[in-house]
Amino acid sequence: MTVVDDSIPVITVDGPTASGKGTVAHRVADELGFHYLDSGALYRLTALASARHGIDPDDVSALAVLAETLDVRFRDQRIWLAGEDVTDAIRAEAIGNRASSIAVHKAVRQALRALQRGFKTAPGLVADGRDMGTVIFPEADLKVFLTATPQARAERRYKQLIEKGFSANIDSLMLDLEARDARDRTRAEAPLRPAEGARVLDTSGLNVDQAVAQVLEWFAQVQYPQGA
Ligand code: DC
């Protein structure tokens, strides 16, 4: 039986790739002094480790063991895998695509569940991903679903990759995004979709400050409902 500690507030921010959820969730966590969980990083870490160990993306049992025994540390905005700083390595497009492929497996998702739940500690948590509101933190106080047009998302991803020193092509990025979205949305296990009661925010025409302000306003509304 799962014991749910409802005294620790949780905000979930789900959405498709490059919808801005990472940036927005991180900023909201900073503003509130909450912890931040980038759940996609855990799938990317499993993907990177599996590539390095030569594990096939369909070898479910080997992937599940790998996910369950990930030697990962988040510190000072950096991500460490078995003592190596892999913060940039896990952002490569090939690793993102591999992450999406291995994320279809129920055993892999199950293996990462406890690790993700462990991030729920005082004074609160902002968690971003695909199934934060639907599966991992269904008890969340506020559930947000971010969207943006494929064009806006491809442009954002292009900028991120160039800034990190990766080469990128906007047309192939767009095709990649659409293929990854289709896989994430149609998989049987924890498909990407807005959680029940989620507030949907289209960030195509918003800057980061505006999106963050909207999430903070919604959170204030659920924390201090009018008349309470
Ligand atoms: O958010 P991201 O692009 O870093 O995630 C990489 C992949 O990991 C994504 O395409 C699907 C998978 N993922 C998932 O299935 N569930 C999550 N909560 C987060 C990511």
Side-chain angles (χ1 to χ4, degrees), residues 19-170:
S19 54
K21 61 190 187 321
T23 314
V24 171
H26 203 169
R27 278 271 310 274
V28 169
D30 277 352
E31 294 281 338
L32 295 169
F34 284 7
H35 300 285
Y36 167 61
L37 166 62
D38 169 6
S39 63
L42 301 180
Y43 288 90
R44 287 171 180 267
L45 284 160
T46 309
L48 181 70
S50 71
R52 289 186 173 174
H53 286 89
I55 295 172
D56 190 278
D58 283 321
D59 185 346
V60 181
S61 42
L63 289 170
V65 170
L66 199 63
E68 210 155 60
T69 54
L70 271 186
D71 176 9
V72 54
R73 222 156 35 101
F74 292 84
R75 228 188 58 199
D76 301 334
Q77 319 265 21
R78 310 294 297 173
I79 303 174
W80 307 78
L81 180 65
E84 178 192 345
D85 183 346
V86 293
T87 317
D88 296 326
I90 60 166
R91 295 297 152 201
E93 270 310 275
I95 297 299
N97 287 330
R98 191 179 177 92
S100 169
S101 297
I102 65 171
V104 302
H105 302 306
K106 183 175 187 171
V108 173
R109 309 197 67 84
Q110 205 82 38
L112 292 174
R113 187 176 182 278
L115 184 56
Q116 296 173 81
R117 293 267 329 161
F119 279 76
K120 182 175 172 179
T121 52
L125 175 68
V126 183
D128 94 56
R130 305 291 188 290
D131 62 341
M132 297 295 95
T134 49
V135 176
I136 304 294
F137 300 106
E139 76 280 18
D141 303 74
L142 171 65
K143 299 177 183 183
V144 178
F145 191 84
L146 289 193
T147 60
T149 60
Q151 184 65 34
R153 294 192 287 123
E155 281 165 17
R156 279 180 199 158
R157 178 49 53 85
Y158 179 83
K159 275 193 205 144
Q160 282 172 355
L161 288 170
I162 297 296
E163 274 166 19
K164 289 191 185 342
F166 291 109
S167 63
N169 169 291
I170 201 130

